[in-house]
Each structure stands twice: as C-alpha cells, then as structure tokens.
Amino acid sequence: MDASTFLQNCITGISLGSAYALIAIGYTMVYGILRLINFAHGDIFMMAGYFTIFAIANFRMPWYLAIVFVIVATVLLGVAIEKAAYKPLRDAPRMSIMISAIGVSFLLENSATYLFTGLPRAFPQLGFMQKVLKFGDISAPIVTFITPVVTIVMLIALIYLVNHTKTGMAMRAVSKDFEAAKLMGIEINRIITVTFVIGCSLAAISAILYFSPRPMVYPFSGLMPGLKCFVAAVLGGIGNIPGAVVGGFLIGIAETFLVALFPSMTGYSDAFTFVLLIVMLLFRPTGLLGEKDRKSTRLN
C-alpha cells in the first residue's frame, strides 16, 4: 500500500468512524441514564434518512431548511417512542423494556417497508457536500472532511453540557442513582426527554452525513450501522461519551483498512466488528475507557 492509498483509507475510515461515533453517543447516553440498550436507535437513524429524502425530493426544501426539518422530525419520533414504549415500563424489569426496544425496532423497519416499500430510495444531494475535493492522488467529497469536524464539535459541546451545566449535573445524578435523584427533586422525566432529544439529534445529523456519500436508503439500512455503533459504545465503555467516540473511530478505521488490505474479505467486514465485540467482552468487559467498578455504567 503506497502513501496516497494509505492516506485515502485513513480519510475514509475517520469519516466513517465519525458517523458511527455520533450514533454510538446516542446508545451510550440512553444507557447511562436508563440502563437501556435502545435497539431502536439504528432504526431512528434510518428514518432520519427517509425524512431527508421527503424534505428535499418531495417537499422541495432547500438543503439548509431540510437539515433543520430532519433533526426536528427525528427528535419528535424519538421522544414519542420514549413516551409510548419506554416510559410505561420504567419500573418494570429490565428485560421488559429491552424487549420493548426490540419490538420498536421491528415496528420501525416494517413500517418503513409498508410506507416506503422495500426498494432502495435515492438519497438527495445536499448542497455542496457531494462536491469532490482533490489533493494530488487523494480525492474525497467534502462531506468526508466535514463529518469528523462535526463529531469533534458535538463531543466538546456534550462534554461541556454534562460537566458544566445544571442539566448535565442532573443527568450525572440520575445516571449514578435514579431513585436518589428523584428524591432530591430532580425532574426525571425532563432529564430523560433531554437525553433522547440529544441522542436523536445526533442520529439525524449522523444520517445526513452517513448517507450523503452513500446514494441509497432502504428500510433495513439502519440495522447494521446501529449494531456496529452499539459495539462501538461497548468497545469504548458503555455510558462513557468520549469512549463511544473512540469506539466509533476505531471500528470505522479498522473496517476500512480490513477491506483495503484484504479485498476478498469485503463481505466479512461486518463479522469483524462482532468478533471485536466478543474479544472485548472476554478481556475487558468494561471497555477501553470504562472503569472496573459501578462507575463504568455512569454517564461521564
């Protein structure tokens, strides 16, 4: 592999990993607050792709208004799911709410198949994002360079929110002791809603950035990215926001270089992610940035 090919794969892997990181943050934040693996998160990401198609192709919105529309629609969908499927089971056994999350995932996938058919839909072009930049032998669309920048900005903003605001203090309190936080007068429902708003906003942004260089959206297009981002959250340390970002970057880069170095294994790149999950659970179940005690499940 020559230098230009290496740099090309690095750029592609970092961009892909950045998109994974945004989705993984949603997983890790919901788990940090509710101890829930929101298996429907990948399908919310898929619905954001369809919202983008309808905003631009059907409603003829300018791309900058379409982005706002997609974020708002995705947030409303995520909050509605939390209120309808998760809130009534908040005091039920953990298995019940997890089954509910799996049920919501199937509901979204089958609803998308019914509403939009199972045929792939073309993802629209968003302004200048698909314009290709060339640096010698290296070329990539502008969105490839935008994605890591957006991810880092979102990470810094979230760390500030969690560590330096009253809402963040309340989120950390709820993640440490749900019942004690309730007794201290923290509005649990508001904090959970804020968590879903943040997670779904990031899923919407990630969908726009992820699908821009990938021209098709279909009802199951969120399944595999969603599972990979769950693995990224576990890899970094579930409940740890910087860990989710690290996990996303690692999986994106590793997946890109695996395909580049071993073209014959292109069809097995997804399997590599789950092998990595098994290895991590065997040797460091708390993740790369997780701690060995109960703090590993706290939002930080």
Side-chain angles (χ1 to χ4, degrees), residues 218-292:
Y218 55 95
F220 297 95
S221 57
L223 178 61
M224 192 53 65
L227 290 174
K228 289 180 181 179
C229 294
F230 165 65
V231 174
V234 174
L235 182 64
I238 191 85
N240 188 297
I241 294 173
V245 174
V246 170
F249 275 112
L250 287 176
I251 289 178
I253 293 170
E255 180 180 323
T256 301
F257 273 94
L258 181 69
V259 173
L261 294 172
F262 306 101
S264 60
M265 294 186 65
T266 300
Y268 300 95
S269 60
D270 294 337
F272 166 78
T273 303
F274 301 106
V275 171
L276 187 61
L277 173 63
I278 294 170
V279 172
M280 178 58 65
L281 291 176
L282 287 174
F283 294 100
R284 189 174 173 82
T286 56
L288 295 174
L289 302 185
E291 300 179 18
K292 293 184 179 180

Side-chain angles (χ1 to χ4, degrees), residues 86-169:
Y86 302 156
K87 184 178 179 181
L89 298 174
R90 201 168 290 164
D91 297 322
R94 295 296 173 198
M95 185 59 68
S96 299
I97 194 169
M98 185 175 293
I99 292 172
S100 179
I102 295 172
V104 170
S105 175
F106 283 121
L107 175 63
L108 290 176
E109 291 170 0
N110 285 277
S111 297
T113 302
Y114 177 77
L115 294 172
F116 313 126
T117 75
L119 299 176
R121 295 285 300 271
F123 194 80
Q125 292 191 354
L126 298 176
F128 60 91
M129 289 190 184
Q130 278 81 12
K131 183 179 179 181
V132 176
L133 295 179
K134 291 186 178 181
F135 303 94
D137 294 331
I138 300 171
S139 63
I142 291 178
V143 68
T144 302
F145 300 97
I146 292 176
T147 306
V149 176
V150 171
T151 300
I152 297 302
V153 170
M154 293 292 103
L155 173 62
I156 294 171
L158 275 177
I159 291 175
Y160 179 84
L161 172 70
V162 171
N163 294 322
H164 300 287
T165 66
K166 289 184 178 180
T167 298
M169 186 183 299

